[in-house]
Amino acid sequence: MMKRIATALVAATMGASALSVAAPAMADEAPDTTVSIESIRVTPNPVVIRGGDHVSVTATVSTVAAEDVKIDFEPTGKGGQPDCNPCPGATKASKSDSDWKVSDKTIVLDRHDPAGKWLVHVTATGKNGKVVEAEASFFVKIAQVRSHHGPRATRIAGFDASPEPVKKGRKLSLSGKLQTARCYGDWWWNGDAYVVGDNRCGADHRWHNWNRLGWQDIKVYFHRAHGGKWEYVDTIETNPDGSFYTKIPAYWSGTWKVVFEGSRGLYGSSATDYVKVVR
């Protein structure tokens, strides 16, 4: 009987000892930390591309408990949210947390890349295999800048003094159209400023793709056929489409000339037409 009691006491003692050993092991086991994307920051934002610039864009991502972080950039024409800070599902962990991780990725953009909204898509995989995702956005702008090629060329197209010949004392009709060059290489004039390379200029050569030039002064001169000098006759203004028209009496044979003297940012141009006057 005493032997059976001693055996029971030994078993009880061993059980208590086993429990006392197991308890600390459970207490030391680290809890399973959930992976999260804390923030996504893009710099610079907006991205402004001027001329032939190449601009570096960096996405900086803060995560908690992430084994792997993937960062992708994607252009899109839609609107959207700016940087997420904090991102949805963030645990707002302390930066001193041992599971805190900062990752970044940089791309380089130039004027050939799409303007507008871009997305940064982040995928983080946790230590337990769980995957979380988050997005931020930034904007790319192609800057409108003034030309570095100097003043734009102009021309007076289709100038005509008619009829020819004309009877002495009868009126001549002077007409034509003032135009300005719209392209130089890959620079495109949008009516107010230059935009770099939007595929509108076509072949790469000197000024081409002419455009109307309205509300400009055109001076009219006449030079007699038998000597003399250029005489000022009148000043007329171009219409919004660049066209101009006037009537002037003709008394002598000679050359009529129309002159655009140019202005800031525009070269001058001229055109002539000879008219014979008959009795």
Side-chain angles (χ1 to χ4, degrees), residues 10 86 168 224 272 276-277:
V10 170
K168 186 175 182 178
R224 299 187 190 189
T272 59
K276 183 178 180 179
V277 174

Side-chain angles (χ1 to χ4, degrees), residues 28-185:
D28 290 340
E29 187 174 305
D32 184 25
T33 305
T34 302
V35 62
S36 66
I37 298 171
E38 297 294 304
S39 65
I40 305 172
R41 183 169 58 89
V42 183
T43 55
N45 187 14
V47 178
V48 181
I49 300 172
R50 296 180 175 85
D53 287 352
H54 291 74
V55 181
S56 296
V57 184
T58 301
T60 303
V61 179
S62 298
T63 57
V64 170
E67 284 269 316
D68 181 64
V69 178
K70 292 182 179 179
I71 305 172
D72 295 309
F73 292 81
E74 178 189 2
T76 173
K78 301 177 182 178
Q81 297 297 318
D83 297 355
C84 61
N85 188 12
C87 295
T91 60
K92 298 181 181 179
S94 168
K95 289 187 178 181
S96 61
D97 194 310
S98 60
D99 283 325
W100 184 278
K101 181 178 181 179
V102 177
S103 309
D104 61 65
K105 182 177 180 178
T106 299
I107 61 171
V108 178
L109 302 179
D110 60 31
R111 61 184 176 83
H112 299 293
D113 291 298
K117 180 199 169 189
W118 282 60
L119 289 179
V120 177
H121 184 82
V122 179
T123 303
T125 304
K127 297 177 181 179
N128 58 1
K130 182 179 179 181
V131 176
V132 293
E133 297 178 313
E135 282 185 345
S137 67
F138 64 97
F139 287 86
V140 175
K141 298 180 180 179
I142 306 298
Q144 294 185 347
V145 295
R146 296 293 176 180
S147 171
H148 299 298
H149 300 290
R152 289 178 290 141
T154 65
R155 71 178 182 182
I156 296 177
F159 175 58
D160 183 47
S162 62
E164 200 283 318
V166 63
K167 288 187 177 182
K168 186 175 182 178
R170 295 287 181 88
K171 287 188 175 183
L172 280 173
S173 295
L174 306 183
S175 62
K177 184 171 285 189
L178 179 63
Q179 297 177 325
T180 180
R182 204 163 192 183
C183 286
Y184 186 108

Side-chain angles (χ1 to χ4, degrees), residues 12-28:
T13 304
M14 290 180 64
S17 176
L19 287 174
S20 64
V21 172
M26 293 177 63
D28 290 340

